[in-house]
Amino acid sequence: MTQALPKLLTFNEFIEWYPNDGKRYELHKGVIIEMPPPTGTHEKVIAFLSRKLTVEFDRLNLPYGIPKTALVKTPSAESAYSPDVLLLNLDNLDNEPLFQKQSTVSLAASVPIVIEVVSSNWRDDYYNKFRDYEEMGIPEYWIADYAALGARKFIGNPKQPTIFICELVDGEYQMTPFQGNTAILSPNFPQLNLTAQQIFNAAN
């Protein structure tokens, strides 16, 4: 007995379907994924990172902003992600064909930094989004694993809270881990005064 495969959605079908029900959804290779409600600690880490980045790009007078909700559409797969922190280059949004109507970016030049704060679906952040953000050419991707949920091959054995800064070098992400009181080294913000431990403390 053969089972009918579920119909895969295009991005446009996903946008047309998207309900106004207060929930967050992503499209993963044509499949709709309902995002689990975030925990309070998860939200505190997002708020802390958003504040730190905002202070820095404001100090540098850069044309950046962090939207409340926006999607990142990947180039080859029918996928659209709703990052935890999405830093936008506002000057490039006029070049985005989907932004005005659908609050969606698809060009790497629009996204200086994207951040995913790791939760129970950690494989998405370490594998799927890593691959798709890399293919898209986003220059800097942070994986903020404050609760040490990822695989031991990433964060050690025993597992330790870790921040990964993934920098795009010759089309591939180079992952640099930061733990404890190590200062975060951001390619976009080399003067950012921030340690991994400060991020972890934000969850408390």
Side-chain angles (χ1 to χ4, degrees), residues 150-167:
R152 290 179 179 84
K153 67 179 177 180
F154 293 115
I155 61 175
N157 186 13
K159 294 183 177 185
Q160 294 186 63
T162 307
I163 307 295
F164 287 97
I165 305 295
C166 309
E167 179 184 5

Side-chain angles (χ1 to χ4, degrees), residues 10-188:
T10 65
F11 172 77
N12 287 335
E13 289 171 332
F14 170 66
I15 289 295
E16 289 174 14
W17 165 86
Y18 206 105
N20 186 18
D21 60 3
K23 298 178 182 177
R24 288 173 62 213
Y25 299 91
E26 294 185 339
L27 188 67
H28 291 206
K29 293 185 177 178
V31 177
I32 295 170
I33 305 293
E34 181 182 342
M35 306 308 289
T39 63
T41 51
H42 188 272
E43 291 291 271
K44 285 198 288 185
V45 171
I46 291 172
F48 178 78
L49 289 169
S50 299
R51 178 167 64 92
K52 285 292 184 181
L53 291 182
T54 300
V55 167
E56 190 64 6
F57 70 69
D58 189 56
R59 182 183 72 82
L60 296 169
N61 199 29
L62 293 170
Y64 292 170
I66 298 175
K68 182 182 177 203
T69 54
L71 292 170
V72 175
K73 182 181 182 296
T74 63
S76 59
E78 284 291 350
S79 297
Y81 301 131
S82 174
D84 289 315
V85 181
L86 176 61
L87 186 62
L88 292 181
N89 180 351
L90 305 180
D91 281 355
N92 199 61
L93 295 183
D94 286 344
N95 300 319
E96 288 284 358
L98 302 170
F99 191 76
Q100 290 302 325
K101 289 188 176 180
Q102 298 165 338
S103 187
T104 299
V105 293
S106 57
L107 303 174
S110 301
V111 187
I113 295 177
V114 63
I115 300 177
E116 298 291 357
V117 178
V118 178
S119 53
S120 56
N121 53 344
W122 62 268
R123 287 179 178 82
D124 286 340
D125 302 325
Y126 279 98
Y127 293 107
N128 300 339
K129 294 180 182 182
F130 179 97
R131 177 195 62 232
D132 289 342
Y133 292 152
E134 179 182 68
E135 183 194 11
M136 188 174 168
I138 293 174
E140 189 172 337
Y141 170 37
W142 295 26
I143 302 173
D145 197 348
Y146 73 94
L149 296 173
R152 290 179 179 84
K153 67 179 177 180
F154 293 115
I155 61 175
N157 186 13
K159 294 183 177 185
Q160 294 186 63
T162 307
I163 307 295
F164 287 97
I165 305 295
C166 309
E167 179 184 5
L168 197 69
V169 178
D170 296 329
E172 296 182 4
Y173 276 146
Q174 306 298 314
M175 294 178 76
T176 303
F178 297 90
Q179 298 175 333
N181 290 314
T182 308
I184 298 289
L185 297 177
S186 165
N188 269 286

